[in-house]
Amino acid sequence: MEQWIEFIGNNLILSLIWAALAFMLIFGMIKSRFSSIKLVSPTELTMLVNRQNATVVDIRPEADFKKGHITGAKHLPLNDIIQGEAKGLEKLKAAPIIVVCQAGISAQKAASALAKQGCSEVTVLQGGMNSWLGASLPVVRAK
């Protein structure tokens, strides 16, 4: 125990960085555990679309969307969703909605906004389009 105290005293900045990282890791795990927004894998996304008629919302820039997107995905920019201008989703608030971005990070913000706007079943594709392409699943290219 004395060695820990001596190490912390000698390496205060390093110790504070480690403590902050540990706090952020624990906070992130607790937040995701109790969040109403769940993460789904590419396989689970496919099952939700096939079995529950889920809607896929792609929030990537339009150029990326045109390069390749999940079959049947609707393109809605992130700013439109945050501002409450999610055109076409008004009728789908009770149906499952899966938000997709490039890496699965910015989709969390969009999913939170959709949940606040009254959508009951909002999920996020874990890893985004990167995980979809990594699983060698098909994409549709816009013409």
Side-chain angles (χ1 to χ4, degrees):
M1 185 63 147
E2 290 179 25
Q3 290 177 342
W4 283 103
I5 294 171
E6 182 181 347
F7 178 81
I8 292 171
N10 292 337
N11 301 294
L12 186 59
I13 294 174
L14 180 63
S15 299
L16 289 174
I17 291 171
W18 278 106
L21 288 172
F23 174 77
M24 290 188 310
L25 180 66
I26 292 168
F27 179 74
M29 289 180 0
I30 291 171
K31 184 178 176 184
S32 68
R33 183 80 162 168
F34 293 106
S35 176
S36 62
I37 298 163
K38 302 299 178 198
L39 300 175
V40 295
S41 68
T43 306
E44 292 169 326
L45 182 145
T46 305
M47 289 190 313
L48 281 170
V49 169
N50 290 338
R51 294 182 181 163
Q52 296 181 17
N53 203 21
T55 302
V56 178
V57 176
D58 195 325
I59 62 168
R60 297 177 300 148
E62 190 168 352
D64 291 340
F65 181 78
K66 288 182 178 180
K67 287 180 186 175
H69 58 273
I70 298 170
T71 304
K74 296 180 185 276
H75 180 254
L76 285 173
L78 177 61
N79 290 335
D80 290 355
I81 292 172
I82 291 172
Q83 294 172 1
E85 301 172 8
K87 298 172 186 163
L89 294 181
E90 297 87 13
K91 303 173 200 168
L92 304 171
K93 289 191 175 190
I97 297 174
I98 305 165
V99 183
V100 177
C101 67
Q102 190 63 41
I105 298 169
S106 58
Q108 293 281 348
K109 184 186 276 189
S112 295
L114 287 171
K116 287 178 185 173
Q117 293 169 19
C119 297
S120 60
E121 293 184 55
V122 182
T123 56
V124 172
L125 176 61
Q126 186 174 15
M129 280 302 289
N130 291 340
S131 69
W132 183 265
L133 295 171
S136 300
L137 294 167
V139 293
V140 177
R141 301 194 192 302
K143 296 178 183 176

